[in-house]
């Protein structure tokens, strides 16, 4: 797996990452969503450097300009519900992308720390021969992304696979490396220290879905 770490140098990306982690601004859900969206835009720009381009001629009011445009067919897919603001950030840049949505959540059958991943809903277009961009804010254990990936592969075989996450734990990255194809690209805005005993990311930011849309039942 090719892993791209995006926050190693100073940039406005780190500014937004700091704000989404800060407990003093967590009561402002609109600000949280907007910052996740901005992070998605920055990640989309960086990811765009790995796409394929074709030369084109543009007619301007004063002449002809030779330039390039993306020739890949993109399918942008997010994991509900936390992935929606990140999805919007990517869609702001890849506005011609087709879109998909999948639900995945931790199911605790015994009401303890053990969980499995339930994937219950999906709405996605044909992915055969296209570039699949799977986005989710948090990469903790990696089980959700692998479960969603396996579900999506029932719809076809993409040409390229890009997975984009805002915050990742080393354990989750290792799980993806073990269970996903070697040719996948993983884009990480920020790498954190570890998972805690409940398998949440430390220092992390809390529950991205709750911060964006309110507490769930």
């Amino acid at each position: 797996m090719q892993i791209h770490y995006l926050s190693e140098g100073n940039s406005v990306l780190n500014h937004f990452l700091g704000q989404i982690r800060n407990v003093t601004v967590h009561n402002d859900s609109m600000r949280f969503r907007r910052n996740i969206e901005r992070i998605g835009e920055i990640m989309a720009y960086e990811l765009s450097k790995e796409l394929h381009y074709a030369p084109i001629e543009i007619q301007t009011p004063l002449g002809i300009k030779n330039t390039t445009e993306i020739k890949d067919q993109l399918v942008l897919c997010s994991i509900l519900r936390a992935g929606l603001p990140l999805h919007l950030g990517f869609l702001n840049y890849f506005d011609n992308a087709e879109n998909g949505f999948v639900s995945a959540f931790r199911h605790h059958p015994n009401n303890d720390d053990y969980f499995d991943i339930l994937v219950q809903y999906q709405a996605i277009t044909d992915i055969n021969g296209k570039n699949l961009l799977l986005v989710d804010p948090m990469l903790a254990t990696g089980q959700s992304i692998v479960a969603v990936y396996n579900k999506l592969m029932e719809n076809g075989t993409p040409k390229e696979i890009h997975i984009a996450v805002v915050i990742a734990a080393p354990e989750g990255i290792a799980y993806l490396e073990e269970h996903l194809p070697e040719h996948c690209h993983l884009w990480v805005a920020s790498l954190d220290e570890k998972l805690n005993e409940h398998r949440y990311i430390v220092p992390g930011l809390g529950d991205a879905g709750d911060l964006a849309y309110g507490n769930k039942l």
Side-chain angles (χ1 to χ4, degrees):
M1 177 178 290
Q2 300 181 56
I3 305 177
H4 310 264
Y5 296 103
L6 303 182
S7 63
E8 294 177 340
N10 288 325
S11 76
V12 71
L13 174 61
N14 288 331
H15 177 81
F16 296 139
L17 286 167
Q19 290 189 358
I20 65 172
R21 295 181 186 272
N22 194 331
V23 295
T24 64
V25 296
H26 275 181
N27 62 340
D28 189 341
S29 59
M30 184 176 69
R31 185 175 176 185
F32 181 84
R33 292 193 303 270
R34 183 67 181 107
N35 282 334
I36 292 287
E37 181 182 342
R38 288 165 166 166
I39 291 169
E41 291 174 347
I42 294 168
M43 299 186 75
Y45 169 75
E46 295 295 337
L47 189 154
S48 73
K49 299 174 184 178
E50 294 291 327
L51 300 178
H52 302 91
Y53 293 79
I56 60 169
E57 286 188 347
I58 299 293
Q59 177 69 59
T60 80
L62 300 177
I64 300 294
K65 174 62 179 178
N66 293 316
T67 184
T68 60
E69 65 179 3
I70 297 172
K71 70 175 183 178
D72 295 313
Q73 290 182 280
L74 306 180
V75 178
L76 176 60
C77 182
S78 60
I79 300 177
L80 300 173
R81 60 181 171 150
L84 292 176
L86 189 62
H87 186 112
L88 181 57
F90 273 82
L91 193 59
N92 288 342
Y93 276 32
F94 301 136
D95 50 290
N96 290 325
E98 298 177 273
N99 294 267
F101 303 91
V102 180
S103 72
F105 63 94
R106 294 184 179 189
H107 171 59
H108 298 266
N110 304 317
N111 294 319
D112 56 18
D113 286 341
Y114 169 78
F115 65 87
D116 51 22
I117 302 297
L118 295 186
V119 179
Q120 293 187 323
Y121 170 86
Q122 67 168 331
I124 191 163
T125 186
D126 176 29
I127 62 174
N128 275 304
K130 302 174 184 177
N131 285 23
L132 174 65
L133 280 54
L134 177 59
V135 304
D136 194 30
M138 310 297 283
L139 171 57
T141 68
Q143 292 173 245
S144 293
I145 286 179
V146 169
V148 168
Y149 168 83
N150 289 334
K151 185 69 174 178
L152 293 177
M153 292 307 101
E154 296 176 5
N155 296 300
T157 303
K159 181 178 70 173
E160 291 185 5
I161 302 164
H162 295 266
I163 297 168
V165 300
V166 176
I167 297 176
E171 296 91 332
I173 292 175
Y175 190 83
L176 296 194
E177 289 182 302
E178 181 180 354
H179 291 89
L180 295 183
E182 291 184 0
H183 65 273
C184 287
H185 289 259
L186 175 62
W187 300 83
V188 179
S190 184
L191 175 63
D192 273 15
E193 297 173 10
K194 62 181 180 180
L195 298 178
N196 65 14
E197 65 275 14
H198 302 295
R199 290 189 279 183
Y200 288 103
I201 302 173
V202 176
L205 53 75
D207 189 298
D210 288 356
L211 290 168
Y213 298 111
N215 295 333
K216 55 186 173 293
L217 294 177

